[in-house]
């Protein structure tokens, strides 16, 4: 898979709420409360960071990398004071965003709410806004933030470092986007159910338990790589050449459908890294006995207009298996057959997902949390929302190479990374915690912790 890609318990853990002070006289209406924030571009989802005096957009990185700002009133305006360099504020120098002394007139901003929890930051008495630089053809937006004209690129989120949260609703009232599921990255690459890679690569499985045991252990999300062979859609890593005893997709899906039939209160999600033609995938799904009885079709139930349904309602309707593909709709339209016509949802339309790699299997790790789909050709920030609809958030937490000792250490830090890095980066808590070697590091406790609260 993007080499290196439930347990529902209840305990009490609520984050501290930000208390709103009385705004200063003459302050811009509807400005947020004073407090510590990340300043995130609504266009890219990246954070404003102090880069040795220059203000640049960087990948969200929790309390690292000078990305946290104390918003406070200053006269009739506001300043954003760096938490890492007291007395230095996010400000302006000519047409560039820079850190300046907080007492400087260039540190003041009029902060105005524009709807949808978004704000603009404007130099007082002007029409000059803090903005992301325009995107050159075939490239990402430049890192350096500028002072420019109003518009889409001047739209910002002020994301609290310590957000207020709410208690988890009762079991029968929880919507799908409020729940977090344990998810196994490269679930098929387990060395138990069959071969998954050529010799030697087979020696480094992402998991060490078969699909049936994963289901029994509480795994409810499964990341699978499928490749096209004369036998149909086969589960292999990178390719199926030289793979001994590979497993067909329909075999693992049948295991999941059988589990759902035996456990009528459970819900399962499958994520396909998909290298097969749509007709081949359709034929493969047709081999799964009972699949149509449990398949969930969010495209047919008004989710994009009304939000995700309650999990209990999906269970009562027996819509308990959700399948995503990472393929694009446009490529299938050109082939004349879309995957959602037979019940496989296009993941980019329904989810957001962070970049898959935390680094190599050894050495230092990269805990920054940013969209897998932000590059020169694609821009789907983790913060994406729509009126009435919030995409599900897939949080990847694994390395390039699945070494057991590294996975054990990383998995003990799963809840911490979710809370401090990925939750503020996406402005929502993860719905799927995807890990290698889920059996190491007590991943269940991280899932249970996230299932104690809701994020507004």
């Amino acid at each position: 898979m993007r080499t290196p890609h439930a347990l529902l318990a209840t305990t009490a853990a609520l984050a501290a709420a930000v208390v709103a002070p009385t705004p200063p006289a003459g302050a811009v209406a509807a400005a947020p409360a004073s407090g510590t924030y990340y300043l995130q571009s609504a266009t890219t989802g990246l954070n404003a960071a102090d880069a040795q005096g220059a203000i640049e957009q960087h990948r969200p990185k929790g309390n690292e990398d000078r990305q946290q700002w104390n918003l406070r009133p200053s006269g009739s305006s506001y300043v954003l004071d760096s938490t890492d360099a007291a007395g230095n504020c996010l400000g302006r120098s000519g047409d560039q965003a820079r850190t300046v002394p907080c007492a400087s007139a260039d540190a003041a901003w009029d902060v105005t709410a524009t709807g949808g929890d978004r704000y603009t930051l404007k130099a007082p008495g002007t029409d000059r806004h803090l903005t992301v630089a325009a995107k050159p053809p075939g490239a990402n937006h430049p890192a350096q933030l500028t002072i420019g004209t109003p518009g889409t690129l001047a739209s910002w989120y002020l994301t609290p470092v310590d957000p207020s949260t709410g208690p988890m609703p009762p079991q029968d009232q929880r919507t799908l986007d409020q729940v977090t599921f344990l998810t196994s990255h490269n679930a098929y690459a387990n060395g138990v159910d069959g071969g998954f890679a050529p010799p030697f690569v087979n020696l480094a499985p992402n998991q060490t338990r078969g699909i049936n045991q994963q289901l029994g252990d509480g795994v409810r999300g499964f990341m699978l790589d499928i490749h096209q062979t004369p036998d149909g859609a086969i589960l292999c890593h990178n390719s199926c050449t030289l793979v001994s005893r590979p497993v067909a997709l329909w075999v693992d899906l049948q295991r999941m459908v059988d589990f759902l039939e035996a456990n009528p209160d459970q819900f399962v999600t499958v994520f396909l890294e998909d290298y097969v033609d749509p007709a081949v995938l359709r034929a493969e799904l047709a081999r799964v006995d009972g699949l149509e009885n449990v398949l969930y079709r969010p495209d047919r139930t008004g989710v994009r207009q009304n939000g995700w349904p309650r999990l209990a309602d999906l269970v009562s309707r027996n819509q308990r298996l959700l399948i995503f593909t990472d393929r694009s709709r446009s490529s299938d339209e050109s082939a004349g057959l879309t995957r959602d016509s037979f019940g496989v949802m296009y993941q980019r339309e329904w989810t957001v997902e962070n970049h898959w790699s935390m680094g190599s299997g050894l050495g230092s790790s990269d805990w920054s949390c940013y969209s897998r789909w932000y590059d020169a050709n694609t821009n789907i920030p983790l913060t994406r929302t729509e009126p009435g609809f919030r995409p599900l958030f897939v949080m990847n937490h694994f390395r390039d190479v699945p070494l057991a000792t590294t996975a054990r250490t990383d998995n003990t830090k799963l809840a911490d990374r979710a809370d401090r890095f990925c939750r503020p980066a996406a402005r929502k808590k993860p719905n799927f915690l995807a890990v290698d070697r889920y059996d190491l590091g007590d991943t269940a406790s991280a899932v249970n912790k996230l299932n104690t609260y809701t994020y507004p």
Side-chain angles (χ1 to χ4, degrees):
M1 225 156 179
R2 11 201 184 264
T3 317
H5 241 346
L7 299 162
L8 306 176
T10 303
T11 58
L14 301 180
V18 177
V19 178
T22 301
V28 175
S34 295
T36 306
Y37 292 90
Y38 300 103
L39 184 63
Q40 289 179 281
S41 166
T43 299
T44 66
L46 304 183
N47 286 347
D50 175 10
Q52 298 182 323
I55 304 298
E56 299 178 347
Q57 57 169 352
H58 287 183
R59 297 168 179 172
K61 208 169 184 181
N63 59 344
E64 303 175 12
D65 195 38
R66 297 174 175 256
Q67 297 183 9
Q68 295 182 357
W69 305 91
N70 289 318
L71 178 76
R72 56 182 174 83
S74 178
S76 61
S77 299
Y78 287 81
V79 294
L80 288 139
D81 195 346
S82 171
T83 63
D84 294 289
N88 287 327
C89 281
L90 190 155
R92 310 168 290 282
S93 178
D95 290 334
Q96 298 296 309
R98 305 279 303 179
T99 54
V100 299
C102 292
S104 167
D106 286 328
W109 298 98
D110 289 342
V111 181
T112 305
T114 60
D117 204 22
R118 300 183 183 190
Y119 296 87
T120 60
L121 280 70
K122 181 174 73 72
T126 75
D127 200 28
R128 301 173 67 235
H129 290 69
L130 180 69
T131 181
V132 173
K135 183 178 182 293
N140 295 339
H141 290 279
Q144 175 68 51
L145 299 180
T146 65
I147 311 302
T149 58
T152 303
L153 298 182
S155 182
W156 299 91
Y157 292 111
L158 283 161
T159 300
V161 170
D162 292 312
S164 59
T165 60
M168 199 69 164
Q171 195 84 26
D172 62 350
Q173 296 299 313
R174 300 173 182 181
T175 57
L176 184 60
D177 57 324
Q178 290 176 324
V179 181
T180 299
F181 299 99
L182 180 60
T183 300
S184 57
H185 168 241
N186 284 356
Y188 66 96
N190 54 57
V192 175
D193 294 328
F196 61 90
F200 301 110
V201 179
N202 251 339
L203 299 177
N206 298 91
Q207 312 297 336
T208 57
R209 297 176 179 179
I211 295 296
N212 282 336
Q213 186 171 352
Q214 291 181 38
L215 287 161
D217 289 343
V219 175
R220 294 295 179 266
F222 298 86
M223 293 180 166
L224 308 174
D225 294 11
I226 53 173
H227 293 266
Q228 188 165 318
T229 75
D231 296 320
I234 305 298
L235 297 164
C236 306
H237 189 68
N238 293 333
S239 82
C240 294
T241 303
L242 301 180
V243 176
S244 174
R245 300 186 304 108
V247 177
L249 172 63
W250 78 268
V251 172
D252 273 356
L253 289 181
Q254 189 68 65
R255 291 178 170 126
M256 297 174 197
V257 170
D258 292 346
F259 172 83
L260 290 173
E261 290 180 348
N263 297 271
D265 61 341
Q266 296 300 304
F267 186 91
V268 167
T269 305
V270 174
F271 300 89
L272 299 178
E273 185 167 317
D274 189 345
Y275 300 99
V276 307
D277 294 334
V280 171
L281 180 57
R282 181 176 60 182
E284 191 76 11
L285 299 186
R287 301 177 68 182
V288 182
D289 184 37
L291 176 66
E292 285 296 324
N293 297 334
V294 295
L295 193 62
Y296 173 40
R297 299 287 304 267
D299 57 331
R300 293 182 173 178
T301 55
V303 170
R304 301 195 78 88
Q305 295 74 38
N306 305 313
W308 295 98
R310 292 180 300 186
L311 197 55
D313 292 338
L314 293 174
V315 168
S316 68
R317 296 195 295 262
N318 203 30
Q319 298 173 339
R320 298 184 293 121
L321 178 61
L322 176 57
I323 305 177
F324 290 114
T325 176
D326 69 348
R327 292 292 286 263
S328 70
R329 175 182 295 277
S330 59
S331 65
D332 284 350
E333 287 175 339
S334 63
L337 177 63
T338 62
R339 287 164 215 254
D340 57 359
S341 68
F342 51 87
V344 177
M345 301 296 102
Y346 292 100
Q347 190 181 344
R348 298 185 194 194
E349 298 178 3
W350 299 97
T351 76
V352 292
E353 180 178 337
N354 67 307
H355 181 64
W356 52 263
S357 175
M358 295 168 61
S360 67
L362 291 172
S364 60
S365 58
D366 180 5
W367 279 33
S368 64
C369 213
Y370 61 101
S371 178
R372 177 187 169 210
W373 301 314
Y374 174 66
D375 55 36
N377 300 311
T378 311
N379 184 22
I380 303 177
L382 292 182
T383 55
R384 177 175 65 116
T385 59
E386 301 171 20
F389 170 72
R390 293 197 306 175
L392 302 176
F393 175 24
V394 181
M395 177 185 154
N396 295 313
H397 185 81
F398 44 81
R399 308 289 190 108
D400 296 20
V401 179
L403 301 180
T405 53
T406 304
R408 183 188 301 274
T409 300
D410 287 345
N411 288 348
T412 62
K413 302 174 181 178
L414 178 59
D416 186 46
R417 185 176 181 226
D419 283 343
R420 289 198 298 125
F421 289 73
C422 290
R423 184 182 69 177
R427 296 173 52 82
K428 58 177 73 74
K429 72 176 188 179
N431 300 108
F432 301 93
L433 292 180
V435 298
D436 284 331
R437 292 302 306 273
Y438 74 89
D439 56 306
L440 302 177
D442 195 14
T443 54
S445 66
V447 174
N448 292 338
K449 179 182 178 182
L450 288 171
N451 280 320
T452 63
Y453 70 87
T454 60
Y455 188 92

